[in-house]
Amino acid sequence: MHPSYPAEPYKIKVVEPIAMTTRAQRLQYIQEAGYNTFLLNSQQCYIDLLTDSGTTAMSDNQWAGMMLGDEAYAGSKNFIHLQEVVREYYGFKHIIPTHQGRGAENLLSRLCIQPGDYVPGNMYFTTTRAHQELNGATFVDIIIDEAHDSQIDLPFKGNVDIAKLQKLIDEVGPERIPYVCVAVTVNLAGGQPVSMANLRAVHALCAPLGIKVMFDATRCVENAYFIKEREATHHHQSIRDILKEMMSYADGCTMSGKKDCLVNIGGFLCMNDDELYQRASEMVVLFEGMPSYGGLAGRDMEAMARGIEESVDYHYIHHRIAQCRYLADQLVAAGIPIVQPVGGHAVFLDARQFLDHIPQDEFPAQTLAAQLYLESGVRSMERGIVSAGRNKQTGEHHRPKLELVRLTIPRRVYTYAHLDVVAQACKDLYARRHEIRGMKMVYEPKFLRFFTARFEPLVAQTASRPAAAPQVAELETA
């Protein structure tokens, strides 16, 4: 194994068979799914890179913890353990468990936002912005301009532009900004990290003005790894210590435990403010459950507490980042356009360049994700104009500069050999990219349309490869 790509720091104990399908079957499946990879069944997918959310393989230690679940309705010992671990590793005083990250986003938005408020953030995330807007806020993007260019290679492309934040404060006043939402890392920029120096600067600007800083901490351990690797002042520090310092520059966070907490379900809302915690404790009962379990069983909280402890192991996170780089390096060597630099949880294909003949209103990223599945059985997801949704005032599409397909690598699930298959599928599709035509949307839900929207090709796609490719060998390369 090449030294840049360390071997898996675990051994396999249990295996799960995965689907082997023909191209004819995949054509039927993607048509039935309305060319939306979210609407495929998992049994129809060969290598499933739809998301890293809840798709982690838990450790034997976590499974052992599941057997120690205390399912008391209030005051579960597993909640006490989770609370202790969050305080030790993240440093926040209070924790409210939720069923997943968007449960925490819902609570935070309802608790803090008043109609007419502005919530600045380093690039939007779909569910986060939806909750903010539903509660009357306007999202304002304050990420550095370079984050919107897939080919600019910067070490901390997720940084907040301090001048943009200051400009918004000057224009609307600090009283109209309930909190700044800082994602660590930034998903829709390609999994890009935020530097410690930038986090410190955001906190220094906001604290004297009484503006809270709330992290979207979903992939905070990946962010800590990049700080250790790229910020000279932190080379010598452990992931655990870097993570604790990162969190010290926030007043709280929302967390989807389904990512860096290494579990299949769960999340939480954290804060240091006693009054906010009291209000959150009252509201969570309406939407989730008691403050000591939220939307979770005791066994799930135990698995999450143990996952937080495991997540800061250097060998684990080093291998995780290396898997992303392994796939990215193969694609770059083949001339396939991806977001640079490679982030911590996925490789993002630049669909705008990959399918440069398809205009954005014909959904190039959605098209590319559907075609990749048809080509190989690899499921990915769109992160472009469909995910961006519509302007709530004008009804027009938001048109992000980044039109991406996310190849998301689940934690501790696939091997380098699986990633070889993904790379080859991308190469094969890239070789015939000019044959591909765009799509039209034939069903659009009101909210978060990327989950359930349906599409049709603008030009009928052929169901077979060129005659020279034997049908019986459809999946020999997949």
Side-chain angles (χ1 to χ4, degrees):
M1 179 60 68
H2 189 281
S4 296
Y5 314 125
E8 288 78 5
Y10 51 82
K11 61 182 180 180
I12 297 169
K13 238 179 199 183
V14 177
V15 296
E16 175 187 348
I18 55 180
M20 306 292 283
T21 57
T22 66
R23 186 180 181 86
Q25 288 174 323
R26 295 194 295 272
L27 178 60
Q28 176 186 342
Y29 297 150
I30 197 67
Q31 288 174 336
E32 291 172 347
Y35 291 86
N36 186 343
T37 54
F38 273 98
L39 300 180
L40 292 166
N41 295 328
S42 64
Q43 301 96 319
Q44 298 168 343
C45 302
Y46 177 46
I47 298 176
D48 197 346
L49 306 186
L50 183 74
T51 183
D52 63 330
S53 179
T55 56
T56 292
M58 292 202 303
S59 69
D60 55 356
N61 178 53
Q62 288 176 288
W63 280 108
M66 295 278 281
M67 300 304 296
L68 300 177
D70 174 8
E71 307 308 337
Y73 192 75
S76 161
K77 68 180 182 182
N78 307 120
F79 168 72
I80 301 301
H81 184 203
L82 177 60
Q83 184 180 60
E84 290 172 349
V85 169
V86 166
R87 287 173 175 171
E88 179 179 354
Y89 286 81
Y90 297 161
F92 296 118
K93 185 177 180 182
H94 301 297
I95 173 176
I96 299 284
T98 58
H99 73 284
Q100 60 184 65
R102 70 196 61 172
E105 293 169 351
N106 177 45
L107 292 177
L108 178 63
S109 299
R110 286 175 174 269
L111 287 165
C112 295
I113 291 173
Q114 297 295 324
D117 280 351
Y118 295 82
V119 180
N122 54 341
M123 200 173 285
Y124 81 98
F125 184 67
T126 51
T127 59
T128 312
R129 187 177 70 185
H131 284 298
Q132 292 164 356
E133 291 179 346
L134 284 170
N135 285 280
T138 298
F139 169 80
V140 180
D141 189 359
I142 55 167
I143 202 167
I144 59 174
D145 290 340
E146 292 87 347
H148 294 282
D149 187 328
S150 67
Q151 299 308 298
I152 294 178
D153 192 338
L154 290 176
F156 293 104
K157 216 168 168 181
N159 277 358
V160 169
D161 187 320
I162 300 299
K164 288 182 183 178
L165 177 55
Q166 182 67 66
K167 182 175 182 289
L168 179 66
I169 294 170
D170 293 341
E171 288 176 352
V172 306
E175 66 279 358
R176 301 310 302 168
I177 302 175
Y179 59 91
V180 179
C181 183
V182 181
V184 286
T185 59
V186 184
N187 187 349
L188 291 180
Q192 302 299 324
V194 184
S195 73
M196 192 75 82
N198 189 248
L199 296 175
R200 195 178 298 120
V202 172
H203 180 265
L205 174 59
C206 292
L209 301 173
I211 301 173
K212 285 184 168 57
V213 177
M214 303 296 289
F215 287 172
D216 175 348
T218 294
R219 298 180 178 89
C220 56
V221 177
E222 293 170 10
N223 202 100
Y225 178 90
F226 287 123
I227 287 175
K228 178 178 178 64
E229 180 184 60
R230 301 176 182 176
E231 210 160 352
T233 51
H234 295 277
H235 287 337
H236 66 286
Q237 288 186 290
S238 68
I239 299 295
R240 176 175 175 171
D241 288 344
I242 293 169
L243 180 63
K244 188 75 169 283
E245 183 181 348
M246 281 173 53
M247 296 302 186
S248 73
Y249 301 121
D251 297 285
C253 75
T254 58
M255 170 61 85
S256 172
K258 297 163 68 177
K259 285 85 166 177
D260 270 359
C261 296
L262 306 181
V263 289
N264 306 128
I265 196 67
F268 51 79
L269 172 65
C270 286
M271 70 285 288
N272 291 322
D273 183 272
D274 294 338
E275 187 270 338
L276 182 61
Y277 171 68
Q278 185 60 46
R279 291 169 55 217
S281 297
E282 296 167 5
M283 185 173 288
V284 72
V285 178
L286 293 173
F287 295 101
E288 301 274 343
M290 285 286 288
S292 60
Y293 75 85
L296 295 176
R299 56 184 174 269
D300 295 318
M301 290 188 286
E302 184 63 30
M304 187 152 56
R306 296 182 182 214
I308 291 171
E309 293 171 329
E310 292 178 9
S311 71
V312 298
D313 174 68
Y314 177 80
H315 300 291
Y316 150 73
I317 190 62
H318 179 52
H319 172 262
R320 168 150 181 76
I321 303 300
Q323 280 201 319
C324 292
R325 290 175 176 166
Y326 178 80
L327 175 57
D329 288 349
Q330 292 194 57
L331 299 182
V332 170
I336 297 174
I338 66 170
V339 172
Q340 300 279 8
V342 179
H345 69 290
V347 176
F348 288 72
L349 301 174
D350 188 331
R352 192 188 291 273
Q353 295 188 48
F354 197 115
L355 301 177
D356 58 4
H357 58 290
I358 298 180
Q360 193 170 32
D361 282 359
E362 294 179 9
F363 312 113
Q366 190 75 38
T367 300
L368 181 54
Q371 287 294 321
L372 181 60
Y373 171 76
L374 182 59
E375 178 77 21
S376 63
V378 173
R379 177 159 66 165
S380 58
M381 70 172 296
E382 184 266 5
R383 278 296 183 227
I385 190 172
V386 180
S387 292
R390 293 185 183 272
N391 183 296
K392 64 179 181 178
Q393 275 82 38
T394 68
E396 292 294 312
H397 292 300
H398 289 297
R399 290 182 170 81
K401 293 181 180 178
L402 294 175
E403 184 75 15
L404 309 175
V405 169
R406 192 179 76 179
L407 304 170
T408 331
I409 301 178
R411 294 161 182 81
R412 304 188 294 205
V413 171
Y414 292 118
T415 67
Y416 290 110
H418 288 107
L419 300 180
D420 289 337
V421 171
V422 177
Q424 187 60 52
C426 292
K427 294 174 190 177
D428 293 344
L429 196 59
Y430 192 63
R432 60 177 190 85
R433 61 191 181 279
H434 294 300
E435 302 171 15
I436 299 170
R437 298 294 176 262
M439 298 195 296
K440 62 181 178 180
M441 192 184 302
V442 295
Y443 166 69
E444 180 178 0
K446 187 174 181 181
F447 301 112
L448 299 174
R449 63 188 186 178
F450 63 95
F451 283 127
T452 56
R454 301 181 75 87
F455 304 84
E456 289 180 357
L458 287 171
V459 178
Q461 303 293 325
T462 59
S464 62
R465 296 177 187 267
Q471 295 299 308
V472 294
E474 286 294 354
L475 266 173
E476 287 182 4
T477 59

